[in-house]
Amino acid sequence: MTVTALPAALWHARISSVVEGTNVSGVIPRELYTSYSDLTVLVKAANQHGSATSTMAAFNTGDIKKPPTPEITHHCPQPLEIYWIVQCEDQGSSDQLCEVQYRPQDQQGWTQEEDILRSFLLLTPRPYTVYEFQVRCACEGPQALMSDWSSVYKAWSSESAPVKALDVWSDCGVTSELSQCALMWKEMPTWLAQGKVLGYVVTLSYSNGTVAVVNVSMSKPGGLCVCQEKRCRFTPSLWGVSSVDVSVYNSQGASKPAPLALPTSGLQVPELSFTVNQDILSLNVSWSLPPQPIENMHEYVVQYKQVGLPPTQGFDWIIVHQNHTSVILRGGFENHTAYNVSLFAVFINSSCLLASAISYSLHGLPPKVTEFKVQHISDSQVTLSWQHISLTQSKGLILCYQLVLNNVTVYNVSRDQNSLHLSGLTSGHHQVWIRAETKAGLGPSETINFSTENSHGFLKYLVPGIIAGMLLLIIIIVQMKNCAKVPDPSNSKLLQQMKLQFNSSLTAIFSPLESNPKISELEVVENPFWDANACPRKRSSPDGQTEGVVGEERTHIRTDEEAEKEEDADEGYSKIIDTDEEERDGGESGSLLEDDQFVSDYEKHFMPVVV
């Protein structure tokens, strides 16, 4: 497109200048015209199909004046109206026509309004929103030009009561106990809060019928409410509550109370498939619709929790429409970090866990397996054990544990197991190494060495040993049965009486009351019923020669005095009764005590013998 400029005095001579322009404008260089001169301009457009020429425009260059840039001075918040001034008096005019463009501060595009005089009223501004304004003006005249745009002017719109409920949820960790749950809600965006948030109202209804209303003021940070990263946590416990409502308020009013869907267990919910796929900066969550619609369900909630962090940290959730089956979780996910992603069904005032899965934002190689050891070993078998790699250390989802025996045999063990039993091993030295596997690959290995022995060599010595032990046991039993039984002299009443008499004599030695202590006498009494043949003894003469055997033909007539002494000896001695003999004799041991014609074993062994 060309622009042809021709001074009026030279028009008839067809003297002109041609400059190139765009499809909407063209610039005539200053050297092609003089000040305060008449100028005629026309525009010609051409393409491959032909050309077209506009009508001519004639004007005086002295009439071309650009007004100064306007200045926006102030505004009124309700309704939102801005005011400005522009200097047109210097150009001999007091009237002007202006253009205004505006936009919310968080947007890129401008909205323009034309034919404005000295102020501009924004009819339907978004409440409590920062708007940006610019103005340019042209003073009235035959050749009026628009000024440059003014600098950006910012103004807040007026506040209004919140119109949307808060997004309320709870972090209960791995349990559904209310005493372990933390009440949370997301901070309402400014354009939804429609004003400066002054605080929150938490209404707690308890099972015993009491109701507590807690006003959480934002003018006092900390205390009952802690807000971080656009999320707020209510610190008091929820133990014993039956329902919870939370609302937000500003200077113009409060929002509608938002009920908390309390966690509930024991509800009958259908099984559905639930998958979490890792992306570069997000987690893609999808699930299948249940075969039968879940009754009274309003929506889904998908939450994620970073494994290993305290409650409410590394935690977020998103509400999903009940007809949708997927959602993309975006956030500040850390690489090689485990996240527990869960799907909940939300009812009027309750929620129920449907499914959950562990996922990683980015998988890495796992670390070395620890505590790899031999738990049990025998001649041809061994049981190996190791410690599970925790979710916070695995750097990726563990797929399996790989064990290799003697660099030949490979065993892939489930990630849920921590032991392996190997059987059929040959005698000798063995080596096993283990390593974990994730989607990123196999980690470093840990090695263990052990040895097994041949079972035949062991049995060669075991059988003879058992036989020798049994023979030794039989010999001991036979010898014990052949041993004679010796009665216990401590049961003798005679010895007990002598012991008492001896103790009394010792007391008398040190007692001044008794001057003539008694001395015990031991009297040798010959028993006429002694069986001399049972224990024959030889007697030696004073000259050393043997005289004969005692008891073979000797006779003795017992006097009355000797009989009386014998009776006294029988009373002082309690004959020891062998229980085995008593059983053999049919329990007639009592008659033996009364019959003096039998001699006791003790007398045979320990009583004096006449020689």
Side-chain angles (χ1 to χ4, degrees):
M1 182 176 294
T2 59
V3 178
T4 303
L6 180 65
L10 302 175
W11 177 253
H12 297 287
R14 301 294 180 183
I15 300 175
S16 61
S17 299
V18 178
V19 295
E20 295 291 333
T22 65
N23 58 345
V24 295
S25 64
V27 177
I28 301 175
R30 181 64 180 81
E31 61 271 12
L32 297 181
Y33 66 92
T34 59
S35 299
Y36 298 96
S37 60
D38 293 328
L39 195 64
T40 301
V41 178
L42 59 87
V43 179
K44 181 179 180 181
N47 59 21
Q48 66 273 19
H49 301 291
S51 62
T53 304
S54 68
T55 59
M56 289 185 297
F59 56 90
N60 190 288
T61 58
D63 296 334
I64 302 174
K65 294 182 179 179
K66 186 176 183 179
T69 303
E71 179 184 359
I72 302 176
T73 57
H74 61 285
H75 75 281
C76 291
Q78 189 176 2
L80 184 56
E81 186 174 7
I82 60 172
Y83 300 87
W84 64 87
I85 58 175
V86 63
Q87 301 295 334
C88 286
E89 291 78 4
D90 298 341
Q91 300 186 17
S93 174
S94 59
D95 297 328
Q96 73 253 359
L97 290 176
C98 301
E99 295 179 358
V100 177
Q101 64 179 10
Y102 64 90
R103 66 181 178 184
Q105 190 178 25
D106 57 356
Q107 294 183 5
Q108 297 294 328
W110 293 91
T111 301
Q112 290 190 356
E113 298 288 344
E114 298 179 350
D115 298 332
I116 309 299
L117 297 178
R118 298 181 180 274
S119 65
F120 172 72
L121 174 64
L122 185 59
L123 297 177
T124 57
R126 199 167 66 189
Y128 200 64
T129 303
V130 177
Y131 280 88
E132 295 179 343
F133 298 91
Q134 282 186 312
V135 180
R136 66 179 182 179
C137 298
C139 299
E140 286 189 348
Q143 307 297 333
L145 294 179
M146 279 290 180
S147 66
D148 295 329
W149 287 106
S150 66
S151 58
V152 175
Y153 182 86
K154 297 180 180 181
W156 280 92
S157 60
S158 60
E159 293 188 4
S160 181
V163 294
K164 189 175 181 180
L166 285 169
D167 186 359
V168 182
W169 194 242
S170 62
D171 181 10
C172 299
V174 296
T175 179
S176 297
E177 296 293 334
L178 283 177
S179 58
Q180 304 297 324
C181 295
L183 172 62
M184 300 186 68
W185 61 83
K186 292 183 180 179
E187 292 183 351
M188 187 173 286
T190 303
W191 62 276
L192 287 177
Q194 300 191 138
K196 182 179 179 180
V197 174
L198 300 179
Y200 300 91
V201 177
V202 181
T203 304
L204 305 172
S205 300
Y206 291 89
S207 302
N208 58 7
T210 60
V211 178
V213 179
V214 182
N215 183 10
V216 182
S217 176
M218 299 307 296
S219 60
K220 299 178 181 179
L224 299 177
C225 181
V226 178
C227 295
Q228 294 178 346
E229 299 179 354
K230 304 297 182 180
R231 287 177 291 275
C232 296
R233 175 190 178 186
F234 186 67
T235 55
S237 174
L238 300 181
W239 184 84
V241 300
S242 58
S243 65
V244 180
D245 296 325
V246 186
S247 61
V248 59
Y249 65 89
N250 58 21
S251 61
Q252 301 300 313
S255 66
K256 180 182 177 181
L260 170 64
L262 297 176
T264 305
S265 59
L267 295 179
Q268 296 294 331
V269 294
E271 295 184 0
L272 43 80
S273 63
F274 182 70
T275 58
V276 181
N277 296 319
Q278 167 259 338
D279 204 348
I280 299 177
L281 299 175
S282 63
L283 296 177
N284 300 330
V285 185
S286 61
W287 60 93
S288 61
L289 287 175
Q292 297 295 331
I294 302 177
E295 186 176 359
N296 298 326
M297 191 191 77
H298 288 183
E299 57 196 8
Y300 293 108
V301 167
V302 178
Q303 76 169 33
Y304 69 85
K305 169 75 176 180
Q306 183 174 338
V307 176
L309 290 185
T312 72
Q313 295 186 17
F315 176 81
D316 201 0
W317 70 94
I318 185 172
I319 298 175
V320 184
H321 193 271
Q322 60 179 346
N323 294 330
H324 294 175
T325 58
S326 64
V327 68
I328 299 177
L329 300 178
R330 305 183 187 277
F333 297 113
E334 299 180 8
N335 293 338
H336 311 151
T337 303
Y339 291 88
N340 187 2
V341 184
S342 304
L343 175 67
F344 292 85
V346 179
F347 305 93
I348 297 177
N349 288 318
S350 62
S351 62
C352 180
L353 176 65
L354 297 179
S356 64
I358 298 295
S359 181
Y360 287 77
S361 56
L362 185 63
H363 292 270
L365 294 177
K368 181 182 294 187
V369 179
T370 60
E371 297 188 15
F372 186 40
K373 59 185 178 181
V374 175
Q375 189 174 15
H376 176 74
I377 190 171
S378 63
D379 54 350
S380 62
Q381 301 179 14
V382 67
T383 301
L384 306 175
S385 65
W386 59 90
Q387 185 179 26
H388 279 301
I389 301 177
S390 64
L391 294 175
T392 57
Q393 298 176 348
S394 60
K395 297 183 179 180
L397 186 62
I398 300 296
L399 301 178
C400 67
Y401 292 97
Q402 186 182 90
L403 290 88
V404 180
L405 173 63
N406 297 328
N407 293 324
V408 177
T409 308
V410 179
Y411 300 90
N412 290 321
V413 182
S414 171
R415 63 188 178 191
D416 299 326
Q417 295 181 229
N418 67 336
S419 64
L420 177 65
H421 181 75
L422 301 176
S423 60
L425 299 177
T426 59
S427 177
H429 177 75
H430 299 279
Q431 182 184 75
V432 178
W433 52 264
I434 184 175
R435 55 185 178 178
E437 182 180 7
T438 65
K439 290 184 178 180
L442 292 167
S445 61
E446 177 69 11
T447 305
I448 191 171
N449 298 296
F450 59 91
S451 298
T452 57
E453 296 181 358
N454 194 332
S455 60
H456 299 289
F458 175 72
L459 293 176
K460 181 175 64 176
Y461 299 100
L462 178 62
V463 175
I466 293 176
I467 296 174
M470 293 178 65
L471 292 175
L472 180 62
L473 182 62
I474 293 173
I475 293 173
I476 293 175
I477 293 174
V478 171
Q479 290 180 353
M480 291 179 63
K481 287 186 177 181
N482 294 333
C483 293
K485 295 183 178 179
V486 180
D488 188 2
S490 63
N491 292 328
S492 173
K493 291 184 178 181
L494 180 61
L495 294 180
Q496 293 177 359
Q497 183 178 2
M498 294 175 64
K499 181 179 180 181
L500 291 175
Q501 186 177 1
F502 179 74
N503 292 337
S504 299
S505 63
L506 291 178
T507 305
I509 293 174
F510 298 96
S511 174
L513 299 178
E514 186 174 355
S515 58
N516 296 320
K518 295 180 180 181
I519 301 175
S520 300
E521 295 179 357
L522 178 63
E523 183 179 359
V524 178
V525 178
E526 182 181 1
N527 194 334
F529 298 100
W530 184 267
D531 188 1
N533 295 326
C535 186
R537 297 179 181 272
K538 294 182 179 181
R539 183 176 57 184
S540 300
S541 61
D543 58 0
Q545 299 295 324
T546 301
E547 293 183 356
V549 179
V550 178
E552 292 182 354
E553 296 179 352
R554 176 172 296 190
T555 60
H556 177 75
I557 300 175
R558 185 174 55 171
T559 64
D560 295 338
E561 183 179 356
E562 291 175 348
E564 183 179 357
K565 291 181 179 181
E566 248 181 278
E567 291 177 0
D568 294 338
D570 291 340
E571 292 178 357
Y573 171 70
S574 176
K575 183 168 61 175
I576 299 173
I577 301 173
D578 193 336
T579 57
D580 295 338
E581 294 178 358
E582 180 181 2
E583 293 176 358
R584 289 193 301 269
D585 297 337
E588 298 179 355
S589 62
S591 62
L592 296 177
L593 293 174
E594 298 175 357
D595 195 351
D596 293 336
Q597 63 180 346
F598 296 96
V599 181
S600 67
D601 292 338
Y602 180 80
E603 291 171 340
K604 293 180 180 180
H605 282 275
F606 297 105
M607 292 299 292
V609 179
V610 178
V611 295

